Amino acid sequence: AQKVTQAQTEISVVEKEDVTLDCVYETRDTTYYLFWYKQPPSGELVFLIRRNSFDEQNEISGRYSWNFQKSTSSFNFTITASQVVDSAVYFCALSRYGGSQGNLIFGKGTKLSVKP
Amino acid sequence: EAGVAQSPRYKIIEKRQSVAFWCNPISGHATLYWYQQILGQGPKLLIQFQNNGVVDDSQLPKDRFSAERLKGVDSTLKIQPAKLEDSAVYLCASSLDLGGLTDTQYFGPGTRLTVL
């Protein structure tokens, strides 16, 4: 069975601090995709990044970076120099490889509050 | 490019009443998804369409929920009769059909349903 665990329910930081959101996943598939989505108070899920299971190269995009480690089944997300606008619920998600099996399995989310 | 459109944004009904939600996916996206997001949880897939055919409805409570996508574009999700536990945000998402490969899902703003 597929499962995504986000152990951190809520995190509160002060602006300009760095913050890392943890994600651990379970799957029996050898090929799969991992995603991070952001859900601001407005409610819309905003796509941030997608990574496939055979690409463990970590990535930096502006203030965001991702650390994918297949050996520990983790896909962590770091925001550097956080800003108030980063306040949102962040979801990690897993999907199977293949169009007809593209259903996303979400974690319960981590609520990030960035205070000025 | 226009995103996924959903209406209404909010709906309040009494239990045992009926309700319908509408979704218009991103132009050209063959795959459409309906998710249910209960407060404090990650979204859970209800149904997935590929064009106008159902790919996965294993988690749809078929005794009260129904969905259709007659012309392979717009979709409606109906609940009849509603129960208190149906209070949630209903999210619609769409993705391209990459011929068997998983593509990124883009989400609409959601419909927040309150059942009294």
Side-chain angles (χ1 to χ4, degrees):
Chain A
Q2 295 184 304
K3 184 179 179 182
V4 174
T5 301
Q6 294 179 255
Q8 305 152 309
T9 305
E10 292 192 43
I11 299 176
S12 182
V13 300
V14 177
E15 209 170 17
K16 298 184 183 177
E17 283 186 27
D18 297 347
V19 57
T20 295
L21 308 181
D22 298 334
C23 173
V24 173
Y25 62 92
E26 296 175 30
T27 181
R28 294 179 183 174
D29 295 339
T30 55
T31 52
Y32 48 88
Y33 284 95
L34 294 163
F35 299 80
W36 276 98
Y37 282 86
K38 172 183 178 180
Q39 189 171 44
S42 61
E44 185 167 344
L45 275 165
V46 178
F47 166 71
L48 295 177
I49 190 172
R50 150 189 154 139
R51 178 66 73 222
N52 62 49
S53 55
F54 39 89
D55 179 5
E56 289 192 69
Q57 182 175 356
N58 293 313
E59 181 175 333
I60 297 175
S61 175
R63 296 186 297 108
Y64 298 162
S65 61
W66 292 269
N67 187 346
F68 175 32
Q69 292 196 348
K70 212 168 176 178
S71 60
T72 56
S73 297
S74 66
F75 185 47
N76 297 337
F77 170 47
T78 297
I79 302 174
T80 302
S82 60
Q83 300 175 2
V84 173
V85 294
D86 296 327
S87 296
V89 180
Y90 290 81
F91 289 96
C92 181
L94 168 71
S95 78
R96 309 188 76 172
Y97 189 86
S100 64
Q101 301 180 77
N103 163 31
L104 288 167
I105 306 298
F106 285 89
K108 291 189 175 182
T110 297
K111 182 178 181 180
L112 173 65
S113 298
V114 182
K115 302 188 185 311
Chain B
E1 180 181 277
V4 177
Q6 289 188 249
S7 68
R9 291 296 313 276
Y10 305 92
K11 191 74 177 178
I12 300 174
I13 61 172
E14 300 278 339
K15 60 182 179 182
R16 290 187 289 273
Q17 285 187 324
S18 301
V19 65
F21 313 127
W22 173 84
C23 172
N24 183 251
I26 293 172
S27 178
H29 282 196
T31 309
L32 185 147
Y33 311 78
W34 283 102
Y35 288 83
Q36 179 192 57
Q37 185 178 18
I38 293 173
L39 186 64
Q41 298 184 19
K44 183 188 79 171
L45 180 74
L46 291 175
I47 189 167
Q48 176 184 348
F49 292 95
Q50 182 85 8
N51 295 306
N52 60 351
V54 175
V55 174
D56 182 356
D57 63 357
S58 58
Q59 298 187 86
L60 187 73
K62 297 180 185 64
D63 57 334
R64 298 182 301 104
F65 285 66
S66 64
E68 60 183 15
R69 194 185 183 200
L70 293 176
K71 296 182 179 178
V73 181
D74 294 7
S75 177
T76 55
L77 175 69
K78 297 178 182 178
I79 308 175
Q80 179 180 9
K83 292 185 175 181
L84 296 177
E85 58 261 36
D86 298 332
S87 293
V89 176
Y90 291 85
L91 294 162
C92 180
S94 69
S95 66
L96 284 170
D97 177 2
L98 297 182
L101 298 179
T102 299
D103 193 28
T104 299
Q105 295 178 32
Y106 296 92
F107 286 80
T111 296
R112 183 177 297 276
L113 174 66
T114 301
V115 182
L116 302 175

